[in-house]
Structures are given as C-alpha cells and as structure tokens.
Coordinates of all heavy atoms in Angstrom, one line a residue:
H1 N 43.1 -112.5 114.0 CA 42.4 -113.4 113.1 C 41.3 -114.1 113.8 O 41.6 -114.8 114.8 CB 43.4 -114.4 112.5 CG 42.8 -115.5 111.7 ND1 43.4 -116.8 111.7 CD2 41.7 -115.6 111.0 CE1 42.6 -117.5 111.0 NE2 41.6 -116.8 110.5
L2 N 40.1 -114.0 113.3 CA 39.0 -114.8 113.9 C 38.8 -116.1 113.1 O 38.3 -116.0 111.9 CB 37.7 -114.0 113.8 CG 37.6 -112.7 114.6 CD1 36.2 -112.0 114.5 CD2 38.0 -112.9 116.1
M3 N 39.2 -117.2 113.7 CA 39.0 -118.5 113.0 C 37.5 -118.8 112.8 O 36.7 -118.6 113.8 CB 39.7 -119.6 113.8 CG 41.2 -119.3 113.9 SD 42.1 -120.8 114.4 CE 42.0 -121.9 113.0
S4 N 37.2 -119.3 111.7 CA 35.7 -119.5 111.4 C 35.1 -120.7 112.0 O 33.9 -120.7 112.3 CB 35.6 -119.6 109.8 OG 36.0 -118.5 109.2
G5 N 35.9 -121.7 112.3 CA 35.4 -123.0 112.9 C 35.1 -124.0 111.8 O 35.1 -123.8 110.6
L6 N 34.8 -125.2 112.3 CA 34.5 -126.4 111.4 C 33.0 -126.4 111.2 O 32.2 -126.2 112.1 CB 35.0 -127.7 112.1 CG 36.5 -127.7 112.5 CD1 36.8 -129.1 113.1 CD2 37.4 -127.4 111.3
L7 N 32.6 -126.8 110.0 CA 31.2 -126.9 109.7 C 30.5 -127.9 110.6 O 31.0 -129.0 110.8 CB 31.0 -127.4 108.2 CG 31.1 -126.4 107.1 CD1 31.2 -127.1 105.8 CD2 29.9 -125.5 107.2
P8 N 29.4 -127.5 111.2 CA 28.7 -128.5 112.1 C 28.1 -129.6 111.2 O 27.7 -129.3 110.0 CB 27.5 -127.6 112.7 CG 28.0 -126.2 112.5 CD 28.8 -126.2 111.3
T9 N 28.0 -130.7 111.8 CA 27.4 -131.9 111.0 C 26.0 -131.6 110.5 O 25.2 -131.1 111.2 CB 27.3 -133.1 111.9 OG1 28.7 -133.4 112.4 CG2 26.8 -134.3 111.2
G10 N 25.9 -131.8 109.2 CA 24.5 -131.7 108.6 C 24.2 -130.3 108.2 O 23.1 -130.0 107.7
M11 N 25.1 -129.3 108.3 CA 24.8 -128.0 107.9 C 25.8 -127.5 106.8 O 26.9 -128.0 106.7 CB 25.0 -127.0 109.1 CG 24.0 -127.3 110.2 SD 23.9 -125.9 111.4 CE 22.9 -124.8 110.4
S12 N 25.3 -126.7 105.9 CA 26.1 -126.2 104.8 C 26.6 -124.8 105.0 O 26.1 -124.1 105.9 CB 25.2 -126.2 103.5 OG 24.2 -125.2 103.6
R13 N 27.6 -124.4 104.2 CA 28.1 -123.0 104.3 C 27.0 -122.0 104.0 O 26.9 -121.0 104.6 CB 29.2 -122.9 103.3 CG 30.5 -123.6 103.8 CD 31.6 -123.6 102.8 NE 32.8 -124.2 103.3 CZ 33.0 -125.5 103.2 NH1 32.1 -126.3 102.6 NH2 34.1 -126.1 103.7
E14 N 26.1 -122.3 103.0 CA 25.0 -121.4 102.7 C 24.1 -121.2 103.8 O 23.6 -120.1 104.1 CB 24.3 -122.0 101.5 CG 25.1 -122.0 100.2 CD 26.1 -123.0 100.1 OE1 26.1 -124.0 100.9 OE2 27.1 -122.9 99.3
Q15 N 23.8 -122.3 104.6 CA 22.9 -122.1 105.7 C 23.5 -121.2 106.8 O 22.8 -120.6 107.6 CB 22.6 -123.5 106.3 CG 21.7 -124.4 105.5 CD 21.6 -125.8 106.0 OE1 22.6 -126.5 106.1 NE2 20.4 -126.2 106.4
L16 N 24.8 -121.2 106.9 CA 25.5 -120.5 108.0 C 26.0 -119.1 107.7 O 26.4 -118.4 108.6 CB 26.7 -121.4 108.5 CG 26.3 -122.7 109.1 CD1 27.5 -123.6 109.2 CD2 25.7 -122.5 110.5
N17 N 25.9 -118.7 106.4 CA 26.5 -117.5 106.0 C 25.9 -116.3 106.8 O 26.6 -115.4 107.2 CB 26.3 -117.3 104.5 CG 27.5 -117.6 103.7 OD1 28.6 -117.9 104.3 ND2 27.4 -117.5 102.4
G18 N 24.5 -116.3 106.9 CA 23.9 -115.2 107.6 C 24.4 -115.1 109.1 O 24.6 -113.9 109.6
L19 N 24.5 -116.2 109.7 CA 25.0 -116.2 111.1 C 26.5 -115.6 111.2 O 26.8 -114.8 112.0 CB 25.0 -117.6 111.7 CG 25.7 -117.8 113.0 CD1 25.0 -117.1 114.1 CD2 25.9 -119.3 113.3
V20 N 27.3 -116.1 110.2 CA 28.7 -115.7 110.2 C 28.8 -114.2 110.0 O 29.6 -113.5 110.6 CB 29.5 -116.5 109.2 CG1 30.9 -115.9 108.9 CG2 29.6 -117.9 109.6
V21 N 28.0 -113.6 109.0 CA 28.0 -112.2 108.8 C 27.6 -111.4 110.0 O 28.3 -110.4 110.4 CB 27.1 -111.9 107.6 CG1 27.0 -110.3 107.4 CG2 27.8 -112.4 106.3
A22 N 26.6 -111.9 110.7 CA 26.1 -111.2 111.9 C 27.2 -111.2 113.0 O 27.4 -110.2 113.6 CB 24.8 -111.8 112.4
R23 N 27.8 -112.3 113.1 CA 28.9 -112.4 114.2 C 30.1 -111.5 113.8 O 30.6 -110.8 114.7 CB 29.3 -113.8 114.4 CG 28.2 -114.6 115.2 CD 28.6 -115.9 115.6 NE 27.6 -116.6 116.5 CZ 27.6 -117.9 116.8 NH1 28.6 -118.7 116.3 NH2 26.7 -118.4 117.6
L24 N 30.5 -111.6 112.6 CA 31.6 -110.7 112.2 C 31.3 -109.3 112.3 O 32.1 -108.5 112.6 CB 32.0 -111.1 110.7 CG 32.6 -112.5 110.5 CD1 32.9 -112.7 109.0 CD2 33.9 -112.6 111.3
A25 N 30.0 -108.9 112.0 CA 29.6 -107.5 112.1 C 29.7 -107.0 113.6 O 30.2 -105.9 113.9 CB 28.2 -107.3 111.6
W26 N 29.2 -107.9 114.5 CA 29.3 -107.6 115.9 C 30.8 -107.4 116.4 O 31.2 -106.5 117.0 CB 28.7 -108.7 116.8 CG 28.8 -108.4 118.2 CD1 28.0 -107.7 119.1 CD2 29.9 -109.0 119.1 NE1 28.5 -107.7 120.4 CE2 29.6 -108.5 120.4 CE3 31.0 -109.8 118.9 CZ2 30.5 -108.8 121.5 CZ3 31.8 -110.1 119.9 CH2 31.5 -109.6 121.2
A27 N 31.6 -108.4 115.9 CA 33.1 -108.4 116.3 C 33.7 -107.1 115.7 O 34.6 -106.5 116.4 CB 33.7 -109.6 115.8
A28 N 33.4 -106.8 114.5 CA 34.0 -105.6 113.9 C 33.6 -104.3 114.6 O 34.5 -103.4 114.7 CB 33.6 -105.5 112.4
E29 N 32.4 -104.3 115.1 CA 32.0 -103.1 115.9 C 32.8 -103.0 117.2 O 33.3 -101.9 117.6 CB 30.5 -103.2 116.2 CG 30.0 -101.9 116.9 CD 28.5 -102.0 117.1 OE1 27.8 -102.9 116.6 OE2 27.9 -101.1 117.8
R30 N 33.0 -104.1 117.8 CA 33.8 -104.1 119.1 C 35.3 -103.7 118.7 O 35.9 -103.0 119.5 CB 33.8 -105.5 119.7 CG 32.4 -105.9 120.2 CD 32.0 -105.1 121.4 NE 32.9 -105.3 122.5 CZ 33.7 -104.3 123.1 NH1 33.6 -103.0 122.6 NH2 34.5 -104.5 124.0
A31 N 35.8 -104.3 117.6 CA 37.2 -104.0 117.2 C 37.3 -102.5 116.9 O 38.3 -101.9 117.2 CB 37.6 -104.8 116.1
S32 N 36.3 -101.9 116.3 CA 36.3 -100.5 115.9 C 36.5 -99.6 117.1 O 37.3 -98.7 117.2 CB 35.1 -100.1 115.1 OG 35.0 -98.7 114.9
A33 N 35.7 -100.0 118.2 CA 35.8 -99.2 119.4 C 37.2 -99.3 120.1 O 37.6 -98.3 120.8 CB 34.8 -99.7 120.4

C-alpha cells in the first residue's frame, strides 16, 4: 500500500492529481518489473 500523504498547506486535491498519477505510474512500472 502506497500511502498518499497529507495535503500540503494551500494546495487542493485537484492541483495535485497530475503529480499523484505520474508518481503512481512510475511506482507501478517498478512494481511490474
């Protein structure tokens, strides 16, 4: 389980979604290997 973390002060979930998807995609590629 990859814990998502706490929202940084002043930032919204919408602002962070792209970053989270990119990180999860990198992690999934490593997990696939």
Side-chain angles (χ1 to χ4, degrees):
H1 170 215
L2 297 184
M3 298 192 72
S4 299
L6 305 183
L7 275 170
T9 302
M11 298 196 74
S12 69
R13 291 175 175 84
E14 291 73 20
Q15 288 173 299
L16 293 165
N17 259 357
L19 170 70
V20 169
V21 169
R23 286 190 175 166
L24 291 175
W26 175 86
E29 184 176 354
R30 294 291 300 118
S32 174

